[in-house]
């Protein structure tokens, strides 16, 4: 299926590893011009090299060292992408996950950090690109959230709260901009084999007394398909949502979790 992404410009935030890099790779394979970003310059360089090795043309790739909580830097990254390629057609919202914590232990400082990282950065990025998308009568805003927006995950209160807030914001926005050709959707990610998930298993192990490997086995046992997800599997879904083929999807939150979610909707 031709997704119609050839020549489109995509910005994928927090994309030097894990799910973000997998999404950038999928979009580049479809012929999109892709701007990536991350906090670590060494990881940024490796990510750009990987995208080139996977078939991305050098002139169709761009990377900036960026912490998404730096509002000035974030806007500068988006504006630089627009200046380089004439616009932003696809914005993939992503950020590193907040640290684990129980609800009763959430401090003001940690809540503020989670708000800046998970919620405010996404709103700021979306608000920046929306006028450009509306002017061109085409845009895709896709947020990588979590199953926690439907089924809170124990000891991840910051993620549970902020991703739910972001989902509410984007659902509201979706109905406001769909008539302008801008489609806003979210992807509720389950457990994928990433460094972030390995860190969560280590955190659980410190609390439970089990090993990280045992925690991984317990988590996998709760997934009906019997395994963790491959980041490329999520990336293919995002590529579809970014494409011209997703033209009647707006304001939806799609779980991709191997069947782990227990709710009906």
């Amino acid at each position: 299926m031709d997704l119609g992404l050839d020549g489109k410009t995509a910005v994928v935030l927090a994309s030097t590893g894990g799910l973000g890099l997998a999404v950038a790779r999928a979009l580049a394979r479809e012929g999109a011009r892709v701007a990536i970003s991350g906090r670590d310059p060494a990881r940024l360089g490796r990510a750009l090299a990987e995208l080139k090795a996977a078939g991305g043309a050098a002139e169709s790739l761009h990377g900036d060292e960026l912490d998404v909580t730096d509002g000035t830097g974030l806007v500068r990254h988006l504006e630089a992408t627009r200046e380089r390629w004439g616009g932003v057609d696809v914005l993939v919202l992503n950020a590193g996950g907040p640290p684990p914590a129980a609800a009763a232990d959430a401090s003001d400082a940690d809540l503020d950090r989670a708000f800046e990282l998970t919620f405010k950065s996404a709103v700021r990025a979306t608000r920046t690109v929306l006028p450009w998308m509306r002017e061109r009568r085409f845009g895709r805003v896709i947020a990588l959230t979590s199953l926690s927006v439907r089924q809170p995950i124990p000891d991840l209160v910051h993620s549970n709260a902020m991703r739910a807030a972001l989902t509410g914001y984007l659902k509201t926005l979706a109905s406001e901009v769909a008539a302008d050709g801008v489609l806003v959707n979210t992807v509720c990610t389950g457990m994928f084999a990433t460094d972030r998930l390995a860190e969560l298993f280590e955190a659980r192990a410190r609390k439970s007394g089990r090993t990280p490997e045992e925690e991984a086995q317990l988590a996998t046992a709760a997934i009906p398909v019997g395994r963790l997800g491959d980041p490329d599997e999520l990336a293919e879904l995002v590529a579809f949502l970014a494409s011209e083929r997703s033209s009647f999807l707006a304001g939806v939150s799609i779980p991709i979790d191997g069947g782990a979610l227990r709710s009906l909707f």
Side-chain angles (χ1 to χ4, degrees):
M1 180 188 295
D2 179 7
L3 296 180
L5 285 169
D6 190 38
K8 291 285 196 296
T9 296
V11 173
V12 186
L13 299 177
S15 42
T16 57
L19 298 179
L21 179 56
V23 169
R25 190 165 53 238
L27 294 173
R29 280 199 305 265
E30 292 294 330
R33 297 172 296 204
V34 182
I36 67 170
S37 60
R39 292 175 295 178
D40 185 330
R43 285 181 55 140
L44 181 64
R46 288 194 296 269
L48 285 169
E50 179 179 327
L51 292 174
K52 291 176 184 176
E59 64 272 15
S60 296
L61 299 171
H62 173 66
D64 280 323
E65 184 180 345
L66 171 67
D67 183 334
V68 295
T69 64
D70 173 7
T72 301
L74 177 57
V75 172
R76 186 185 302 120
H77 173 61
L78 296 168
E79 290 178 340
T81 302
R82 184 193 187 199
E83 290 170 7
R84 177 183 292 263
W85 290 319
V88 173
D89 301 297
V90 178
L91 173 65
V92 180
L93 301 168
N94 186 38
D105 298 330
S107 69
D108 286 352
D110 286 342
L111 285 169
D112 289 344
R113 169 66 179 169
F115 174 78
E116 292 284 340
L117 177 67
T118 307
F119 182 82
K120 192 173 180 180
S121 68
V123 173
R124 181 182 284 122
T126 302
R127 192 173 58 223
T128 300
V129 304
L130 268 179
W132 312 338
M133 292 180 172
R134 294 173 107 169
E135 181 180 0
R136 292 156 67 102
R137 305 290 298 177
F138 181 91
R140 301 287 189 266
V141 177
I142 305 153
L144 304 188
T145 63
S146 166
L147 291 188
S148 66
V149 304
R150 300 190 182 194
Q151 186 171 292
I153 300 172
D155 295 320
L156 288 182
V157 65
H158 301 116
S159 179
N160 294 343
M162 299 306 165
R163 296 193 196 282
L166 178 58
T167 301
Y169 168 80
L170 293 174
K171 178 67 173 179
T172 305
L173 178 67
S175 63
E176 297 174 357
V177 299
D180 299 323
V182 181
L183 305 183
V184 181
N185 295 292
T186 65
V187 175
C188 304
T189 65
M191 290 193 172
F192 286 83
T194 63
D195 291 343
R196 162 70 173 171
L197 185 60
E199 292 170 359
L200 291 178
F201 287 150
E202 290 173 1
R204 289 182 182 181
R206 288 192 295 270
K207 189 172 182 178
S208 69
R210 291 184 285 265
T211 66
E213 292 73 20
E214 289 170 331
E215 290 294 343
Q217 290 170 359
L218 286 171
T220 303
I223 302 173
V225 301
R227 63 176 176 82
L228 301 178
D230 184 320
D232 287 338
E233 293 175 301
L234 176 136
E236 295 298 334
L237 172 60
V238 175
F240 171 74
L241 291 174
S243 77
E244 295 178 348
R245 303 293 169 257
S246 67
S247 55
F248 204 57
L249 281 171
V252 300
S253 296
I254 303 176
I256 178 167
D257 61 356
L261 189 67
R262 302 308 184 196
S263 64
L264 292 175
F265 301 102

